[in-house]
């Protein structure tokens, strides 16, 4: 693979124009590129080029910089909306897991034990090892004061320990907890069906990571799509139209279910619809993405 030449902002703008991209306001274009970077912008612009995978990088006739920038900005707003809702869901899951794990397993000593969890398989570390790594890495005093000289945490209560776990580790503890009554109790707390519950939590972790790293979610498949109950899928598709099972929109359906159960006045999809408005290009890219190779 050949190395590409570094270009200053003026040269980046000139390259856009040479490839047929219409720019209404070069000053605004320069500010956008300075603030988000050419490479991040090109992740959206690629969908408006002729055949970029074959080296034909000219833009489809009539494509404007402003049109692409609008999609990028809307995607950033949707990511921020996701993060806001995911934070509320994560907090509720931490509290409920700590409560029911203490109630149904025990409050001390079991959280970091291997026998507490099913095997995770070869693709990921065992849940108890991830928990211990999180606890060992934590510099919080409410963790360190319970850290024994031999490295165990036998005196650390679950309700304190979960505060030091990453969302990913918490999701593994939920998914692989051998006492399935704990998981059922979490689902019951949130008035969520048991079907696909762990999958939905796992998809939230992947979505949160994508949003935190400013990854483009428009016109891309979800890295860990949700398993959504069939009756919910039918109801949603009747209202919104069809969408791909691999889309981020399917994750949004699960996100809406959780957020509306935690706070009925704070449903995700209603706010998503307000944001997207009549931008049909963005809507299609979220609901039925066509990712490039």
């Amino acid at each position: 693979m050949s190395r590409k030449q570094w270009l200053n902002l003026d040269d980046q703008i000139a390259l856009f124009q040479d490839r047929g991209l219409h720019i209404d306001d070069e000053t605004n274009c320069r500010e956008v590129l300075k603030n988000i970077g050419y490479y991040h912008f090109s992740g959206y612009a690629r969908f408006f080029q002729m055949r970029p995978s074959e080296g034909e990088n000219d833009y489809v006739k009539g494509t404007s910089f402003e049109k692409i920038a609008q999609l990028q900005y809307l995607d950033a707003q949707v990511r921020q909306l996701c993060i806001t809702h995911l934070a509320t869901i994560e907090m509720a899951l931490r509290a409920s897991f700590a409560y029911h794990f203490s109630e149904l397993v025990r409050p001390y000593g079991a959280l970091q034990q291997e026998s507490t969890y099913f095997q995770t398989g070869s693709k990921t570390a065992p849940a108890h090892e991830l928990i211990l790594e999180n606890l060992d890495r934590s510099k919080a005093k409410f963790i360190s004061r319970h850290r024994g000289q031999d490295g165990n945490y036998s005196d650390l209560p679950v309700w304190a320990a979960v505060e030091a776990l990453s969302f990913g580790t918490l999701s593994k503890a939920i998914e692989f907890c051998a006492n399935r009554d704990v998981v059922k109790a979490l689902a019951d707390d949130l008035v969520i069906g048991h079907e696909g519950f762990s999958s939905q939590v796992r998809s939230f972790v992947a979505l949160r990571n994508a949003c935190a790293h400013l990854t483009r979610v428009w016109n891309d498949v979800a890295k860990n799509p949700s398993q959504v109950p069939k009756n919910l899928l039918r109801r949603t598709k009747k209202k919104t139209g069809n969408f791909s099972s691999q889309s981020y929109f399917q994750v949004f359906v699960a996100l809406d279910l959780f957020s509306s159960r935690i706070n009925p006045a704070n449903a995700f999809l209603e706010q998503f619809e307000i944001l997207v408005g009549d931008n049909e290009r963005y809507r299609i890219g979220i609901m039925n993405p066509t990712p490039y190779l």
Side-chain angles (χ1 to χ4, degrees), residues 210-280:
C211 292
H213 289 92
L214 309 181
T215 301
R216 173 176 51 79
V217 296
W218 176 74
N219 233 2
D220 200 5
V221 296
K223 302 303 181 287
N224 219 331
S226 293
Q227 295 176 18
V228 180
K230 293 179 180 178
N231 61 338
L232 177 58
L233 285 177
R234 284 194 298 269
R235 290 199 307 270
T236 306
K237 288 181 178 182
K238 186 176 180 180
K239 183 177 180 180
T240 66
N242 196 36
F243 50 88
S244 166
S245 62
Q246 300 298 306
S247 68
Y248 274 107
F249 192 80
Q250 179 143 318
V251 181
F252 292 173
V253 172
L255 186 60
D256 180 75
L257 177 63
F258 274 65
S259 62
S260 61
R261 294 296 164 78
I262 293 171
N263 182 357
N266 195 36
F268 176 85
L269 286 180
E270 289 182 7
Q271 296 174 42
F272 173 81
E273 288 294 336
I274 292 171
L275 265 183
V276 174
D278 60 358
N279 193 321
E280 197 61 22

Side-chain angles (χ1 to χ4, degrees), residues 140-236:
K141 289 187 177 180
F142 64 86
I143 299 295
S144 61
R145 71 185 181 198
H146 292 293
R147 187 179 292 134
Q149 290 185 351
D150 55 359
N152 69 44
Y153 296 88
S154 57
D155 293 325
L156 177 65
V158 172
W159 51 86
V162 296
E163 295 296 315
L165 303 184
S166 70
F167 194 12
T169 298
L170 177 65
S171 76
K172 291 292 191 300
I174 293 170
E175 181 174 1
F176 295 103
C177 185
N179 187 329
R180 301 315 290 169
D181 287 339
V182 174
V183 182
K184 290 177 181 177
L186 261 70
D188 289 342
D189 268 2
L190 296 171
V191 200
I192 303 290
H194 301 165
E195 179 188 352
F197 181 83
S198 294
S199 161
Q200 292 155 25
V201 175
R202 189 166 63 246
S203 75
F204 296 159
V205 173
L207 176 61
R208 204 278 300 272
N209 289 343
C211 292
H213 289 92
L214 309 181
T215 301
R216 173 176 51 79
V217 296
W218 176 74
N219 233 2
D220 200 5
V221 296
K223 302 303 181 287
N224 219 331
S226 293
Q227 295 176 18
V228 180
K230 293 179 180 178
N231 61 338
L232 177 58
L233 285 177
R234 284 194 298 269
R235 290 199 307 270
T236 306

Side-chain angles (χ1 to χ4, degrees), residues 6 24 51 84 87 91 96 103 139 199 206 220 222 259:
W6 174 85
D24 288 330
R51 297 179 187 85
T84 299
M91 184 65 73
S96 185
E103 174 191 30
K139 292 180 171 56
S199 161
D220 200 5
S259 62

